[in-house]
Every structure is written in C-alpha cells, then in structure tokens.
Amino acid sequence: MLSNKQVVLRDYAEGAPKDSDMEVITNKSIGVNVPQGSNAVLVKNLYLSCDLYMGHLMHKTQGGLDVFTPYTPGSVIMGYGVAKVMDSGHPNFKKGDLVWGTTGWEEYSLITKPEDLFKIDHTDVPLSYYTGILGMPGMTAHYGFYEKCAPKEGEYVFVSAAAGAVGQLVGQFAKLMGCYVVGSAGSQEKIDLLKDKFGFDEAFNYKEEQDLDAALKRCFPEGIDIYFDNVGGKMLDAVLLNMRNHGRIAVCGMVSQYGLEQPEGVKNLMHLVFKRVRVEGFTVTDYYPSYSKFLESILPCIREGRIFYAEDVAEGLESGPSALAGLFRGRNIGKQVVVVAHD
Amino acid sequence: MLSNKQVVLRDYAEGAPKDSDMEVITNKSIGVNVPQGSNAVLVKNLYLSCDLYMGHLMHKTQGGLDVFTPYTPGSVIMGYGVAKVMDSGHPNFKKGDLVWGTTGWEEYSLITKPEDLFKIDHTDVPLSYYTGILGMPGMTAHYGFYEKCAPKEGEYVFVSAAAGAVGQLVGQFAKLMGCYVVGSAGSQEKIDLLKDKFGFDEAFNYKEEQDLDAALKRCFPEGIDIYFDNVGGKMLDAVLLNMRNHGRIAVCGMVSQYGLEQPEGVKNLMHLVFKRVRVEGFTVTDYYPSYSKFLESILPCIREGRIFYAEDVAEGLESGPSALAGLFRGRNIGKQVVVVAHD
C-alpha cells in the first residue's frame, strides 16, 4: 500500500469557491497494483489542471442549471491531469506510459475507465502543457475558434478572459490568421501580458471601465465580427451592442455568472436580429475524437515558437485549494497548474 | 390631381402603439402622373400589410436599439403593400402592372425607388397574399425555417406567436417535413386554429400558463430541437431550459419586448453551452434576391392546398390605425391586412 495524500471537498461552496471549501488529507492509502481481473489503470499524478467548470461541481445546486453532478463532500476533487501509469489491467496501457485525462486530486489514482484517457506520445514539449495548450483548454480554443467562429483574415475579434488558458490561445490563433484582436482581463499585469507577449492589438482591464459599451466602441470603432465569450453577463450584453452584420459569438463559458444565486439577464438579444448574428455554445468533449488532428496543427506552432504559452504553476498538492480558488478571483496569470510530482 | 386619403403618425407612441397614435387625413392630393424626367412610379394602393416591425418605427427611441429611423409625426405611415401601377417613369414598370413592396398608407403613392419593388406575375392566387404568404412574411418563414433552423424529419419544433403571419407558415412547413410541432398563442380561438386548421400537434395559450417551463416540459417531454422565436423574453428563457443537444433557435423577432422601456433580461444562456445550441438572428431582406426561388417552392403548396393560410382582413384605409394597433395586442387571427381598394 502507498500513502495517498488527497485534496477533498470539505463542503459545498457558496458563491465563488474558497480555499476553505477544500482540505488536504493525509490519512488515505492506495494499493500498489490494480485489483486482479480489473481493466483499471493505476497512475501517479504529475500535473493537475485548474478549470472553471470545476466551480460548478463544488456547488450543490447550480442556479437552475442542474446539468452537473456535483462532487460529494468528503470525496476527492476530480479534474483533468497528466499522469504516469504505474500498473495497468488494460491492454492499451502499460507501466511507464504518460497519459492525460480525468484523474483525482491526489498522489495516486485508480482510473476505472482508462479508455477515456489520452496517451501522450510527444514529450519534447513540457508535460504540463497537456493540462492546457495540448489538452482540454487547447482543444477548446482551437475548435471553438476555427469551427464556431468561422474566422476570416482581417476580421475584428474580441476575447474576454483573454489571459486565461483558453483566451490567450484564441487571441494568438486570431493573430496568426491576420485578424485584429482585442482582449479583456482583470489586471494591469494581464493587460501588459496580452499586448507584450501574446501580441494582442489592444487590451483593456474591464474592472477599470465605467462603461463596457464605451470601452468596446473605443477598441472597435468598426464593430466586432467575432466574440469568443468566456464570461457572459454584462460583457456579453455590451458586445451585443457592438456586433457587425453577420457576426459570430462562440460561447465557451460564462465565468461572471458562476456561483450567482440567479444569472444576470442579458438584455440586448434583439441585436442578434438587426445584425444577423449567430451565437453558438459548444462543449470541447464533442471534439475529442479529433484530438490527433488537433495535435498536428498545434505542435508545430509550439515547436516553432509561433505561439507563446503562459502557465501559472503552483508547486505541491497542498497548494491545490488555493490555486483552484484563485481561478475564480482571477489571481492566476495564464493557465493555472498544480504540480504534484515532476516525474 | 387626385385626392389622397392618408394614415399619418399623429405623435410618437409610448409603449404598445394605439389607434390614437395615428390619424386619417383627407386634405392631401397627388398628381396623376409621375413628374417629368423622374424614374418614379405612381401606384394605386390595394392591400396594406400590418407588420410588427412598424411598431419600432412609431417610437421616438427604441429602448437602446436605435437601429431604426422612426416615422416623423405628421408623415404618412410606410409599410409593405400590394399596388397597381398608374403611371411609370421607370423602364421596368408600365401602367397596369401589379407590384408589392414598400409603399405608403394612402390611396396613391409616388414611389421614388421602384427598383426595390417586386413585380407580381402570378394572379391565380389572392392578391392580398403578396402582403403575407407570398411576400415578406412568407419569405421570413421559409428562409428562417429551412436555412436557419436546418430542420430534419422527426425533430421537435416549437413556434411562438404561432397563429401570426409567420408562425402559421413555419408550423406548417415543419409538419410538411415530418416534424412534431407545438405552437403558442394568446387566445383559445388561436389555439383551436393551430390544432384544427394548421395541423399543429399541440398548442397552448401562454397567457393561461403559470409556468412556461412546465408548459414546455408537458408538450416536449423529450425536449426541443428547433425553436422559431417570434417573441423573445420569458418564453425564450423557458425554451433555453428545454433545448436538446445541438438544438437550433432562429430569432425572427421579440414582440414581447417591443415598446418596453428596457428589454427583459434572458437568464438561461448558459444552456447554450451545455446543450451546444445555436441561436441565430436573421433579417428577411438578405433573402430578397432569392424571391423567385421562394415562389417556385411556395406557389405549388398554395395551389395544391398543402398550406392553409389565414388572413384577418380589415376593410378600408380608415380601419388601418385600429388594425395596426390590434397587432400589438394580439387582436388579429392570422395575417392582418388592410384593404384600400380591391382593384
């Protein structure tokens, strides 16, 4: 048996999740082999991904959404991660394989549906990237932008939460395509990053703007062709006033609404009609069968330095609660990762 | 000179337009010929169309929309109509031609942009149909449903304002395609019409429902694939809770919001993400270049009796203000038309 430190949900969160909604426990252990006859896989967790959807799972009810099965108090937090196979009862996996997919916030996990894991074949790039640019957020940015936004060279593109795991990639994809790109984020440090490192044409701190409509009109005097929406709420309402004819809005998430008792109302939907705008929600899991095609596109961008990728790395499983809670307060700069072990 | 009775805007409407916002005046006249050297067309107006977008034009400001140039108090109401050419300075039109397009609410109109008129070539169907099923509302229903909703046989289709000019056609198009179709409307008489004449599978009176979400769950236990939205607001919010994966919402209009000081907020947009739903606004004028293709599809449906079409006909220009105001109170059953002259 191996001692197995875990991050568990202490109790359901109220509003934005806090560090104290979770706790680190050290009294658990796990077998060193998969149970005989099982096709499960035992992994050592290396990198854990902090993602906004996890906030939904920390709430008992989700403001009328009720599409998620929340975590259970006392149980280990589940999320995306990179891991190394220690023992395998599944023919597709063997000891030493590197994988990414859903795992537990703990040192070791027994994964009972290993067929949902992705094998990692390319290790010339940092392994932690498989929690982000080479994993779920990377595919979200890629398919959300190229498929749902149907971008064309020269178009005006706006990205909210632009310094986050997904937003930073969407902005850079748009720049590579020859679009004019503006991002919003919540601190001067992030704004600097957007302009200096990610190559955004313009960026603004939404917390410093009295009037989001005015901020958008300043950045987009010609209007917006594409909005990649990570935040929903008031920003979406302001964007609707500034869309151009036949514009497209891809709705990836609505972080401004998570944890609210009731979502805010969006008032300017009539502009969808006036401007013939398309709004489309999407879920990255629909694109998982196309993972290898995605890798063919993104790996050369990383190797050739055409994409800059920012991570915010927290060391040690103990830092997990604070790293995850920080995500809902915009404390992270770039993709928030928790390192459990480096190999 | 011909004496030329007119319906003019008396003053801007507050809230839903009322009869008394308009008045009929009899002190105007118009020349019997187009001015020499002009390429205008002089028409005798036969049938006038009452359309919801005209409500926007009767308000000085449109609750932050500001995409319309409103009518001017004292000026003649403009709208779609069917007319007969009396005199023409334009090579494409000659005396006796029948046309439909934008005209004035008056006995005779001088049309200075006749190139925007559609010539009427088929007169084996009632001429008034060119204000509806064979005109702007017909094209709205046709392209909104077939292009924006991307329907497939067996899908679950919901239509609001289903007894109106557009809704009645959308529901019938969906039935012809083999969909399950439910409509909402605002009176028992309309509900009966939907079920007995238009062949809807189910219909409900939204004014009698305490809980729109519950009404939709009763009619669509399997959820909704397609929503053709004519009303916006609370109904749209309830629909969002009931969409199926990869559902489509075509936004044609939002009559529930017209004339409100501030539009109501729509809260359930996160369901676009969970269910991967597409929402698309559209404007029929984008499809005007395809008018002849539309006619090829719809004329046989009328001639062979595959589509039932309901009109609510008001006789005489004097009845115009009341007919138009009635539209905003749901008084009409079927397409509201005003007859100025039968030929």
Side-chain angles (χ1 to χ4, degrees), chain B residues 214-265:
Chain B
L216 291 170
K217 285 189 165 54
R218 185 179 75 229
C219 294
F220 292 103
E222 308 283 329
I224 299 168
D225 292 298
I226 289 173
Y227 174 41
F228 194 99
D229 187 8
N230 289 307
V231 305
K234 289 184 180 67
M235 186 69 89
L236 175 57
D237 236 349
V239 166
L240 286 166
L241 298 174
N242 289 282
M243 290 301 289
R244 306 182 84 196
N245 281 345
H246 304 288
R248 283 87 66 205
I249 299 176
V251 188
C252 175
M254 296 191 162
V255 62
S256 74
Q257 305 302 298
Y258 301 164
L260 296 185
E261 194 70 29
Q262 273 284 319
E264 295 175 302

Side-chain angles (χ1 to χ4, degrees), chain B residues 3 10 25 44 66 68 135 139 147 153 186 196 304 315:
Chain B
S3 121
R10 192 199 302 265
I25 61 167
K44 179 184 183 191
D66 303 328
F68 295 110
M139 288 187 84
E147 301 262 318
E153 190 182 337
D196 300 341
E304 295 158 21
E315 285 286 338

